[in-house]
Amino acid sequence: MNMFKDPEVAAIMCYRGGYGSIRMMPYVNWDVIKNNPKIFCGFSDITLLLNYINKVSNIPTFHTPMVNSNLQDFVTQNFFLNLLTKKYSSINLKNFKNIKTFNSKNITGKICGGNLSMICSALGTPYDIDTNNKILLLEDINEPAYKIDRMLTQLLMSKKLDKCCGFILGHFTPYDINTLNLIKNILLPLNKPIILGFPSGHAYPNVSLPLGSNILIDFSQNIISIEPIFK
């Protein structure tokens, strides 16, 4: 809260993830954040803060690497700096060899989401993520296939997935073909556009994305276009 109040602070970049952010949510003064908008960066356990800050302030937050991430990785560093310093951005999906696409229909929508475990932990709470007409980003680490199955099924049965207009599936580390197969088994029948294997999350490169910003996924051109963030 002190960093949001401090007029000399231009941006807040979380040091690391881990666990525990959900426990701080009731103690945050959201009006202070709304009245003192700043760049707020992080991922993983920071997922709920990213999405809820965007919800209450209507300003984008940034699903990005953190202070203890490997910012020496060139692609990770390049996307992070470009997103925060340029007035527009686009991502060429052809530059990433592991990406696969399904139900490839061009879509536009605001991006939300982040860590799958954290999203599920917020279901039924005041900090539940709104997926209505959103493009949902999902990623996770050290979760076996059966847990990913359970969490995705929970989102499916709570109608969170039905409300989305599309999906971006980031790193699910370590790599497990069973996890990828069950993700396809759950999401493909929804007949919504899907990007699978997008480089975002707990591996490298970790490509930064602005949560709460409108993006265009143009499958005909294989690009993600991001609307101008800083006017």
Side-chain angles (χ1 to χ4, degrees), residues 102-166:
F102 304 91
N103 302 326
S104 302
K105 181 180 71 172
N106 294 354
I107 53 170
T108 300
K110 289 186 177 181
I111 186 168
C112 70
N115 184 259
L116 173 60
S117 301
M118 293 306 301
I119 292 169
C120 287
S121 74
L123 289 172
T125 75
Y127 315 107
D128 198 352
I129 290 180
D130 177 15
T131 63
N132 192 36
N133 293 320
K134 305 284 182 62
I135 298 171
L136 180 62
L137 169 68
L138 295 173
E139 62 83 33
D140 221 317
I141 184 173
N142 292 335
E143 298 289 357
Y146 78 91
K147 290 187 178 181
I148 300 294
D149 189 357
R150 181 172 64 203
M151 289 186 283
L152 283 177
T153 302
Q154 184 182 17
L155 291 181
L156 181 68
M157 291 185 174
S158 63
K159 306 299 182 183
K160 290 292 182 182
L161 303 184
D162 289 335
K163 294 178 181 179
C164 298
C165 62

Side-chain angles (χ1 to χ4, degrees), residues 44-223:
S44 191
D45 187 56
I46 311 302
T47 290
L48 296 188
L49 285 164
L50 293 172
N51 286 273
Y52 202 71
I53 287 173
N54 170 245
K55 180 178 180 179
V56 299
S57 67
N58 200 32
I59 60 171
T61 53
F62 298 89
H63 189 275
T64 72
M66 295 180 278
V67 175
N68 75 332
S69 299
N70 178 17
L71 286 167
Q72 298 304 309
D73 179 84
F74 175 78
V75 176
T76 299
Q77 180 189 108
N78 189 53
F79 274 98
F80 174 68
L81 294 177
N82 282 345
L83 182 64
L84 296 184
T85 59
K86 291 188 175 181
K87 294 184 177 181
Y88 60 91
S89 182
S90 64
I91 300 169
N92 190 337
L93 300 179
K94 294 179 181 178
N95 291 336
F96 304 104
K97 62 181 180 180
N98 294 323
I99 285 181
K100 296 180 180 179
T101 60
F102 304 91
N103 302 326
S104 302
K105 181 180 71 172
N106 294 354
I107 53 170
T108 300
K110 289 186 177 181
I111 186 168
C112 70
N115 184 259
L116 173 60
S117 301
M118 293 306 301
I119 292 169
C120 287
S121 74
L123 289 172
T125 75
Y127 315 107
D128 198 352
I129 290 180
D130 177 15
T131 63
N132 192 36
N133 293 320
K134 305 284 182 62
I135 298 171
L136 180 62
L137 169 68
L138 295 173
E139 62 83 33
D140 221 317
I141 184 173
N142 292 335
E143 298 289 357
Y146 78 91
K147 290 187 178 181
I148 300 294
D149 189 357
R150 181 172 64 203
M151 289 186 283
L152 283 177
T153 302
Q154 184 182 17
L155 291 181
L156 181 68
M157 291 185 174
S158 63
K159 306 299 182 183
K160 290 292 182 182
L161 303 184
D162 289 335
K163 294 178 181 179
C164 298
C165 62
F167 303 99
I168 299 176
L169 282 301
H171 295 300
F172 282 80
T173 53
Y175 177 85
D176 183 349
I177 188 63
N178 294 320
T179 296
L180 297 181
N181 286 336
L182 74 87
I183 288 173
K184 289 191 288 186
N185 288 340
I186 292 174
L187 296 185
L188 282 178
L190 297 173
N191 198 33
K192 299 174 187 288
I194 298 170
I195 297 175
L196 182 64
F198 185 83
S200 181
H202 290 81
Y204 296 95
N206 182 4
V207 172
S208 298
L209 290 169
L211 302 188
S213 285
N214 278 306
I215 65 172
L216 163 67
I217 302 179
D218 187 337
F219 289 98
S220 61
Q221 300 293 323
N222 277 312
I223 62 169

